Amino acid sequence: MPFPTQTIIALLSLWVTCASCVHRIHVTPLPSESSSAGIPRDLQLIVSAPSLEGADHRPGITLLKWSQSDLNQAILGYLQQRGTFASVSSEPGDVTLRVATKLSLTSLRGLYHYRIVLQGEMSEAEQPINSYHVEYTVAGSSVRWVTDSDRVPIETALRLALEDLTGRIEEDRLLYMKQTKEPGR
């Protein structure tokens, strides 16, 4: 039995409404301070696609899209502004930082909580130097009606995680400086 025209229009309208409600996240975290211990080396940044985890460890977060390119631009912009390295780009450099990002969304006490986990791997010429694991959780609003209700807490959690990550890398400055003083360099 064919669908009546009204049913088709209603289903199409519902689909368009749901598709327009997707929160496409664009974040631009800025460092709260510049690097206190710069590393005079060029950094290649490699960012993998973000892993999104919803309630009950389910893959994906309903109505939330966060592209790899946006995450890459967010981390790249942060690192360039922070000034920890002489330069930061996606081009080959003296050292490489590979970043894996996981975003989890949970609901607790009537508020949504956004948890960012960063796993950073520093290497030189494919030889591992050090790894870092940081995570931050930020409480958001009690509803997810508009994109800002997701964007603001995600940006805040990402900024805090990046501050922790870069702070730890800066604390290990001598480890990276030691690499530049090897014979033949």
Side-chain angles (χ1 to χ4, degrees):
M1 178 169 137
F3 285 107
T5 305
Q6 291 176 335
T7 304
I8 293 172
I9 291 172
L11 289 173
L12 188 57
S13 296
L14 180 63
W15 178 78
V16 168
T17 301
C18 288
S20 66
C21 291
V22 171
H23 300 182
R24 296 189 195 310
I25 299 303
H26 175 74
V27 295
T28 53
L30 297 174
S32 58
E33 59 186 32
S34 295
S35 173
S36 60
I39 299 169
R41 302 196 71 195
D42 297 328
L43 178 75
Q44 177 184 18
L45 177 66
I46 299 173
V47 177
S48 60
S51 168
L52 305 180
E53 182 180 282
D56 301 321
H57 307 288
R58 292 187 181 163
I61 298 174
T62 306
L63 302 178
L64 180 82
K65 298 287 183 206
W66 194 11
S67 71
Q68 180 179 1
S69 63
D70 185 75
L71 176 61
N72 184 68
Q73 283 303 113
I75 295 174
L76 182 68
Y78 179 92
L79 292 173
Q80 289 171 338
Q81 290 284 322
R82 174 95 179 188
T84 300
F85 293 91
S87 72
V88 181
S89 73
S90 59
E91 301 299 318
D94 303 324
V95 291
T96 301
L97 173 60
R98 287 177 173 77
V99 179
T101 306
K102 180 178 179 182
L103 170 65
S104 302
L105 177 66
T106 57
S107 180
L108 183 64
R109 292 185 218 106
L111 295 176
Y112 286 103
H113 291 261
Y114 300 80
R115 180 173 165 245
I116 293 275
V117 177
L118 296 180
Q119 184 65 40
E121 302 290 333
M122 291 288 294
S123 62
E124 179 178 26
E126 301 301 319
Q127 295 297 315
I129 300 173
N130 208 353
S131 64
Y132 302 91
H133 178 91
V134 296
E135 54 187 86
Y136 276 87
T137 301
V138 173
S141 66
S142 60
V143 294
R144 297 180 57 225
W145 289 18
V146 295
T147 300
D148 276 355
S149 64
D150 282 331
R151 186 190 58 79
V152 172
I154 291 170
E155 184 173 270
T156 302
L158 182 59
R159 180 183 54 78
L160 291 170
L162 287 169
E163 284 180 1
D164 193 357
L165 176 65
T166 53
R168 290 180 188 193
I169 291 170
E170 290 166 8
E171 286 175 6
D172 292 339
R173 180 179 191 271
L174 294 179
L175 176 65
Y176 303 111
M177 298 301 292
K178 180 176 134 183
Q179 300 292 324
T180 62
K181 295 178 184 176
E182 289 179 3
R185 293 240 172 205

